[in-house]
Amino acid sequence: MIAGPQPFERIDLHAHSHWSDGTLGPEELVALARTRGVQLLALTDHDTMAGCEAAATACAAAGIGFLYGSELTSLWRGREIHVVGLRLDPHSASLAAHLAGVRAQRAERIRAIGLKLDARGLPGADIAAAVLARPGTPTRLHVARELVRRGHATDEDDAFQRWLGKGQPAAVAAAWPGVAASVAAINTAGGAAVLAHPHRYRLSAGALRELCGEFLAAGGLGLEVSLPGMGIGDASRAAALARRYGLAGSCGSDFHVPGIPWRPLGRFAKLPEGIVPITERLGLEPAPGTLRASQAPAAE
Ligand code: AMP
Ligand code: MN
Ligand code: MN
Ligand code: MN
């Protein structure tokens, strides 16, 4: 048999650390990726690259390929859409300015949520202050955790249903940058823009096609076609969109916390028929001698 370039067996191009709403530090995340046999990892915290340097160092030591990444909060036709940037230049001043702008909007939103909680007799100002005091991107998930910790919700989901979710007393909308602006910010940093989790937007099939068309026209490169939580129908719809628009296929776990068996870090990079892997578009190959999934322990 002739040995050609080996495809990746296990990659994860969508994962969070405590620099946004994950719970592990970048080094802990990489340690977990190593035990799961991940050969290529991207850290894609919401609107920040703060954890990427530490993750890159840890990946280099572990023999794991690493891509600087971030998940950019964006708006399209009034809906929140997430655009993952991969292989970003950490020194891009324009991307850094874009991300800092979104984090400032997020901080403003957390303060507004605090005011709304105050109006309902909850310690909203204290909660907002606690969320904004921690390093990293502030998110509603941190507010939810504070609400749970202080006994105002039974769990995070309850906090969203009772207070933070759409139509609830502390819901606050935000005017995030448009999808095209996020793609442009990623492209100016030399990165590849990937439309995240298309199955979660509750868009009609027609609207999703229009989103993909505009994303492609704006300079988008890929679409997430394989994520935990995608049903067979979701996956085949995502694959059809990728084929129709010539978008490369990306996959990742959208990992936030360990111990959730249905959302483990590390995915088999087996993409549907006819989909070009984003790794191929980026010209990536596994480094010789990297840990292979078959050698790795299965447990988290
Ligand atoms: P934000 O980006 O500030 O809007 O916060 C949203 C984050 O909260 C998401 O990235 C999820 O991690 C998390 N989240 C959203 N909805 C829920 C929910 N219903 N239950 C638990 N976590 C949620
Ligand atoms: Mn999140
Ligand atoms: Mn997302
Ligand atoms: Mn995510």
Side-chain angles (χ1 to χ4, degrees):
M1 220 165 89
I2 301 162
Q6 294 295 303
F8 286 97
E9 274 188 37
R10 200 174 263 215
I11 68 177
D12 197 318
L13 303 181
H14 190 151
H16 297 271
S17 77
H18 66 199
W19 285 99
S20 65
D21 55 355
T23 56
L24 300 184
E27 292 91 350
E28 295 171 295
L29 183 76
V30 172
L32 180 57
R34 190 173 185 282
T35 69
R36 296 194 58 84
V38 172
Q39 297 164 299
L40 179 69
L41 177 73
L43 179 61
T44 57
D45 274 313
H46 298 284
D47 307 305
T48 186
M49 286 192 282
C52 284
E53 204 176 312
T57 304
C59 276
I64 298 171
F66 181 74
L67 302 177
Y68 280 68
S70 183
E71 183 173 12
L72 276 63
T73 312
S74 318
L75 214 56
W76 185 74
R77 296 189 184 167
R79 259 172 225 267
E80 189 173 312
I81 301 290
H82 290 178
V83 181
V84 166
L86 297 176
R87 205 167 68 177
L88 301 166
D89 172 6
H91 304 297
S92 163
S94 58
L95 178 61
H98 178 98
L99 297 178
V102 177
R103 290 197 303 274
Q105 275 185 285
R106 281 179 165 280
E108 204 45 58
R109 184 194 200 193
I110 299 294
R111 281 185 210 103
I113 289 171
L115 290 176
K116 287 199 164 185
L117 291 172
D118 273 338
R120 293 293 179 127
L122 270 67
D126 291 354
I127 289 172
V131 169
L132 295 173
R134 56 174 296 287
T137 303
T139 77
R140 288 183 302 162
L141 191 53
H142 299 105
V143 177
R145 287 176 186 149
E146 281 294 318
L147 287 167
V148 173
R149 198 173 70 78
R150 294 162 191 253
H152 300 292
T154 54
D155 57 26
E156 290 160 8
D157 213 38
D158 183 50
F160 275 89
Q161 281 182 33
R162 203 186 285 252
W163 303 106
L164 303 169
K166 209 171 173 186
Q168 299 314 308
V172 176
W176 311 119
V179 162
S182 296
V183 171
I186 289 164
N187 286 344
T188 57
V194 173
L195 189 60
H197 42 65
H199 61 302
R200 287 203 222 141
Y201 299 131
R202 295 201 201 98
L203 290 168
S204 69
L208 208 44
R209 281 197 295 273
E210 285 169 28
L211 170 61
C212 286
E214 287 185 30
F215 177 75
L216 183 72
L221 188 78
L223 180 70
E224 288 186 341
V225 295
S226 171
L227 271 91
M230 264 187 174
I232 293 171
D234 296 328
S236 70
R237 277 189 290 274
L241 282 169
R243 281 189 212 101
R244 184 181 181 117
Y245 292 95
L247 292 164
S250 189
C251 65
S253 59
D254 202 2
F255 176 88
H256 283 73
V257 294
I260 298 183
W262 60 92
R263 199 181 271 195
L265 185 73
R267 296 282 295 166
F268 284 101
K270 203 167 182 326
L271 296 177
E273 197 91 353
I275 306 286
V276 179
I278 189 113
T279 47
E280 200 175 305
R281 285 282 191 90
L282 293 172
L284 300 167
E285 280 172 31
T290 52
L291 188 67
R292 293 177 79 83
S294 50
Q295 292 170 244
E300 211 168 66

